[in-house]
Amino acid sequence: MKTNQILIRYGELSTKGRNRKAFISRLRNNIQTLFAGTPTLRIKAERDRMFLFCDDEQGMEDIVSRLPYVFGIQSFSPVTQTSLELDDMKHTALAIVSKMDTKDKSFKVSVKRPNKEFPYEKPEIMRTIGGYVLGNTPELTVAMRNPDIDLSVEIRQDAAYMMAETIQGAAGLPIGAGGRALLMLSGGIDSPVAGYHMLKRGVRLELIHFFSPPFTTERAKEKVLDLAEKLSGFGSPVTLHIIPFTEIQQEVHKQVPDNITMTSTRRMMMRIADAVRAKTDAKAIITGESLGQVASQTLESLQAINAVTNTPILRPLIAQDKLEIIETAQAIGTYDISIRPYEDCCTIFTPANPKTKPKTDKVEHYESFVSFDEMIDRAVAEREIIEFPRNKQQHFEDLL
């Protein structure tokens, strides 16, 4: 027997009507790109499901371990191929079930028989295979409706195909189906989670980070690089734009009253983000803001920040509380990176009493005493651009 196939179920893609073909094609392209290093991979996409074929055992293990993080897949099942001999089917069925948790579980065998020349009818196949598995797995019980383990057997012309394990996928839509947007990545807990949610809706990400040396350190920057690396692990490469922000941040604190420096700083970030967005052909800006979490995330503050651009601002965390956000960060593997104790530019120069209800016209008035345009253009022009995933081997060689 050999496990050389995977059956993929689409989930939300199945609701796309006449556009379904385009979404399936996008998912197929993403899988091909993600597993480009597996030359034996072949993909067969059908209207309601997709099959992956891989004759390389190591390649198959790699696919099974990474497929749960590919958006657009509701669930998938490894498929084991065996001969058309009933004895082979019995032993293969037992081998598949033996790898699963069978304690206090119910079980059934389902059979499809498209090979009408096969000499045994469905009931006989079910009795033979089911009886053998139950005889060797006494803790299992039979349940014809909603069993915990449903061993599916399909008799085709060339072989018999079996599957019992259903692995949950990442769901959502294939990355790229929702266009491109720019994520403001701070290094904290929230913004990577916001990026994850937008990836799940099929949005391809550009990332922007504001770096203020010597007030922020290389270790803080490395934390952001690690977060970008993590976000690139969901089936699509990302590009990080690192903005030199020290000059602008110091000028804001020199010219603007202390209690509205946070609002003004966010407005400058948004103006720079909008300029980078235009250069990358992104259609929106994504932030990790959650309503009421900090002083800059009140409705009045968000209104003042939004006033610098007409670009759509997407805030996928706006109605989530901190515990929900932390739970997601832990689930996607960004939490332990985000809590490293290194500062970011949003936490330096923090005023003691920031204004929670800033007036947009007053903020604009104080900013009008300084021409920020040249500084913004310079910051955008001098940005550092890094592609992810990084070539780890090359990265380590560069450090030697």
Side-chain angles (χ1 to χ4, degrees):
M1 73 175 195
K2 58 181 179 180
T3 302
N4 62 351
Q5 296 183 32
I6 292 175
L7 166 66
I8 290 176
R9 304 171 188 87
Y10 295 140
E12 186 176 348
L13 270 62
S14 302
T15 68
K16 294 302 179 184
R18 285 182 293 181
N19 294 323
R20 181 189 302 193
K21 189 175 180 180
F23 283 89
I24 293 173
S25 178
R26 177 73 67 176
L27 175 60
R28 177 181 184 143
N29 291 341
N30 288 351
I31 292 174
Q32 282 179 324
T33 300
L34 184 62
F35 298 109
T38 307
T40 61
L41 173 66
R42 290 167 287 122
I43 303 175
K44 180 183 177 184
E46 298 180 352
R47 178 176 172 78
D48 297 314
R49 55 188 182 175
M50 182 181 291
F51 291 95
L52 309 188
F53 303 90
C54 180
D55 296 324
D56 171 16
E57 185 176 343
Q58 184 60 46
M60 180 60 77
E61 289 180 8
D62 182 44
I63 293 170
V64 171
S65 67
R66 299 168 67 185
L67 215 52
Y69 305 102
V70 177
F71 294 113
I73 296 175
Q74 189 66 31
S75 67
F76 65 94
S77 296
V79 180
T80 300
Q81 177 182 342
T82 189
S83 78
L84 290 172
E85 298 294 329
L86 268 181
D87 277 348
D88 285 346
M89 293 185 207
K90 291 186 326 186
H91 292 115
T92 299
L94 181 60
I96 292 172
V97 174
S98 297
K99 295 178 182 176
M100 305 176 69
D101 177 15
T102 56
K103 185 178 180 181
D104 299 326
K105 296 293 173 60
S106 55
F107 167 80
K108 71 174 276 193
V109 177
S110 305
V111 175
K112 292 182 180 177
R113 186 172 162 270
N115 178 2
K116 301 304 180 188
E117 297 176 356
F118 190 69
Y120 302 100
E121 298 293 330
K122 286 183 184 179
E124 188 172 359
I125 300 171
M126 293 167 62
R127 282 196 302 272
T128 302
I129 295 176
Y132 186 74
V133 171
L134 289 170
N136 289 276
T137 319
E139 65 270 27
L140 281 176
T141 57
V142 175
M144 300 310 291
R145 291 186 178 181
N146 302 317
D148 298 311
I149 300 173
D150 187 351
L151 176 67
S152 175
V153 181
E154 186 164 329
I155 309 294
R156 301 185 206 166
Q157 293 298 131
D158 61 327
Y161 296 85
M162 299 184 182
M163 58 184 174
E165 187 179 14
T166 298
I167 302 172
Q168 289 303 306
L173 300 174
I175 294 175
R180 183 185 299 271
L182 179 70
L183 170 67
M184 298 176 71
L185 186 64
S186 70
I189 295 171
D190 299 349
S191 54
V193 174
Y196 167 80
H197 282 297
M198 296 313 299
L199 284 169
K200 189 171 183 177
R201 298 314 300 160
V203 173
R204 196 178 298 282
L205 293 183
E206 296 278 334
L207 312 177
I208 186 170
H209 176 70
F210 296 88
F211 188 48
S212 296
F215 306 106
T216 55
T217 65
E218 286 296 323
R219 288 189 296 182
K221 181 178 173 181
E222 189 63 33
K223 180 170 77 166
V224 172
L225 302 186
D226 288 345
L227 288 171
E229 187 78 46
K230 205 73 179 178
L231 289 172
S232 73
F234 290 100
S236 175
V238 299
T239 303
L240 174 63
H241 305 259
I242 299 179
I243 303 294
F245 197 54
T246 309
E247 180 186 24
I248 294 174
Q249 199 163 13
Q250 287 180 312
E251 195 64 30
V252 166
H253 284 267
K254 188 187 303 178
Q255 300 294 339
V256 175
D258 193 55
N259 63 351
I260 61 169
T261 55
M262 184 174 293
T263 304
S264 189
T265 299
R266 300 279 183 179
R267 284 163 54 88
M268 295 303 147
M269 288 179 171
M270 190 62 76
R271 289 179 62 181
I272 292 172
D274 205 24
V276 173
R277 177 206 58 77
K279 290 181 178 297
T280 57
D281 199 29
K283 304 303 181 190
I285 296 171
I286 306 164
T287 78
E289 290 158 322
S290 171
L291 189 63
Q293 188 177 120
V294 295
S296 65
Q297 296 175 14
T298 64
L299 287 178
E300 290 81 0
S301 290
L302 296 179
Q303 184 180 40
I305 295 167
N306 280 14
V308 302
T309 178
N310 292 321
T311 297
I313 311 297
L314 307 179
R315 296 182 168 97
L317 308 185
I318 197 68
Q320 292 193 12
D321 66 36
K322 195 67 178 182
L323 294 180
E324 290 176 299
I325 297 169
I326 288 174
E327 185 177 339
T328 303
Q330 291 170 330
I332 65 174
T334 58
Y335 180 76
D336 289 340
I337 302 172
S338 293
I339 62 172
R340 292 178 195 166
Y342 308 130
E343 70 297 322
D344 63 50
C345 69
C346 296
T347 59
I348 60 176
F349 302 130
T350 303
N353 297 296
K355 211 166 186 58
T356 57
K357 297 182 179 181
K359 303 289 186 186
T360 302
D361 55 346
K362 287 191 175 180
V363 179
E364 291 173 341
H365 170 73
Y366 290 118
E367 291 175 359
S368 68
F369 294 103
V370 181
S371 175
F372 285 102
D373 292 351
E374 287 186 9
M375 285 186 278
I376 289 174
D377 291 344
R378 188 159 52 247
V380 172
E382 295 177 356
R383 72 190 188 279
E384 181 182 2
I385 301 175
I386 305 175
E387 306 286 344
F388 294 87
R390 288 180 288 183
N391 184 329
K392 287 289 187 184
Q393 183 64 35
Q394 183 63 47
H395 175 65
F396 290 130
E397 288 175 358
D398 290 345
L399 295 176
L400 297 177

